[in-house]
Amino acid sequence: MLIAKGAGGPRIQEIIDLCRDLSVPVRFEPRDTLDRVSKGVPHQGVVAFGVAHAFVELSEVAEDAQLLVVLDGVEDPHNLGAIIRTAHAAGANAVIVPERRAAPLTETVERAAAGALEYLPVARVTNVTQALENLKQRGYWIYGLDERGTEPYDEVEYAEPTVIVLGGEGKGIHQGVQKHCDVLLKIPMAGQVSSLNVSVAAGVVLFELRRRLGNSKIP
Amino acid sequence: MLIAKGAGGPRIQEIIDLCRDLSVPVRFEPRDTLDRVSKGVPHQGVVAFGVAHAFVELSEVAEDAQLLVVLDGVEDPHNLGAIIRTAHAAGANAVIVPERRAAPLTETVERAAAGALEYLPVARVTNVTQALENLKQRGYWIYGLDERGTEPYDEVEYAEPTVIVLGGEGKGIHQGVQKHCDVLLKIPMAGQVSSLNVSVAAGVVLFELRRRLGNSKIP
């Protein structure tokens, strides 16, 4: 926490006291320094450095989860954020993304997630297929959603604990990843367009799962 | 259709013949003119002017529809496009938007709709509440989806023909419009976030409808 030299009053003192209680380091700096680090955003004499949203490890989220969402190459940050928001609202325990070809947890993702990033852990893995094999060994059932899927999402029995794999925009789930899915789901569609936006598709399948499992089973 | 003076060959001739067959006016202009109207996009000697996506009238879509989607103030063009794409895929017959506070059918909307704008008519109305009253008189049942809704979307019986009303980002359905809904739906959610992205919410409800009505009833 940076406090401008010369700033004072009961509200600043309250901030300083709270920082002391929580062992947050406080530094007093010239107002110029605060202007510089806040990049022109009005700061009223106080600038705090928050930790950006950090990824967690697969092992941290795979322990006790009932429902995990794995993204195989979702590159659009709006979609990533909307999926995190949707997954949280549907009762999923975490979202898992690959290190490569995936959007980082930027401010755009955060905004699109509408606060859900504060609650839903996002794990990053080096390799999606290895992660799926790891999850299988832990007893998870892997359901991939893809245009080329064969089983209607609304007719399948979902075994628990459940992993839903979603593919990237336009490309779907990579062939290599598809092979590691127990079931390949499709969303039967009307009309002339062969796919949904990936965050909409996530919503359709995850809320079908939520409906099936009942509100009582997923908190 | 503009053809550059001096351009020729069987492919250009085929275009000219097709235009004649379809009564599309053809004009021969200097290559400079084509460069100018194509704004630097490579044109190979041919530039066609397509009709932008036009709105239709409510009466044109309300005649025989089974499922209509009314948007009460969706302002984000990505969301509008994604909803058009989703509505088409769920078997809806049209989307209805208000004249004010709504995104026009720009290229961004078109891209997000991923081709669905070619197939799904979008009607524009001056007043949403008047449109809903018009639809009620035609026998439609009006279901509004809103955070403050009372009936879980997955427990309600949907009467046909059906209208689904979706509210704008953040604000939901306007109070005045809510009063004209027969039923106010909610999506029961887990977690700490109180709403979904509006296009995701559209997907959840419209595909629940599609699942209920069965693939046979909605073409």
Side-chain angles (χ1 to χ4, degrees), chain B residues 35-49:
Chain B
D35 291 347
R36 190 164 35 77
V37 299
S38 70
K39 290 170 188 159
V41 177
H43 55 68
Q44 301 182 287
V46 182
V47 173
F49 291 86

Side-chain angles (χ1 to χ4, degrees), chain B residues 189-205:
Chain B
M189 287 191 280
Q192 306 298 318
V193 174
S194 61
S195 69
L196 294 171
N197 170 292
V198 61
S199 67
V200 175
V204 170
V205 170

Side-chain angles (χ1 to χ4, degrees), chain A residues 104-118:
Chain A
L105 301 181
T106 58
E107 278 179 38
T108 308
V109 175
E110 201 167 17
R111 263 200 307 279
L117 258 180
E118 304 287 338

Side-chain angles (χ1 to χ4, degrees), chain A residues 135-136 139-143 158-164 181-183:
Chain A
L135 291 168
K136 269 191 201 177
Y140 286 87
W141 293 86
I142 318 288
Y143 297 80
Y158 294 90
E160 292 179 69
T162 314
V163 172
I164 302 290
C181 295
D182 295 308
V183 180

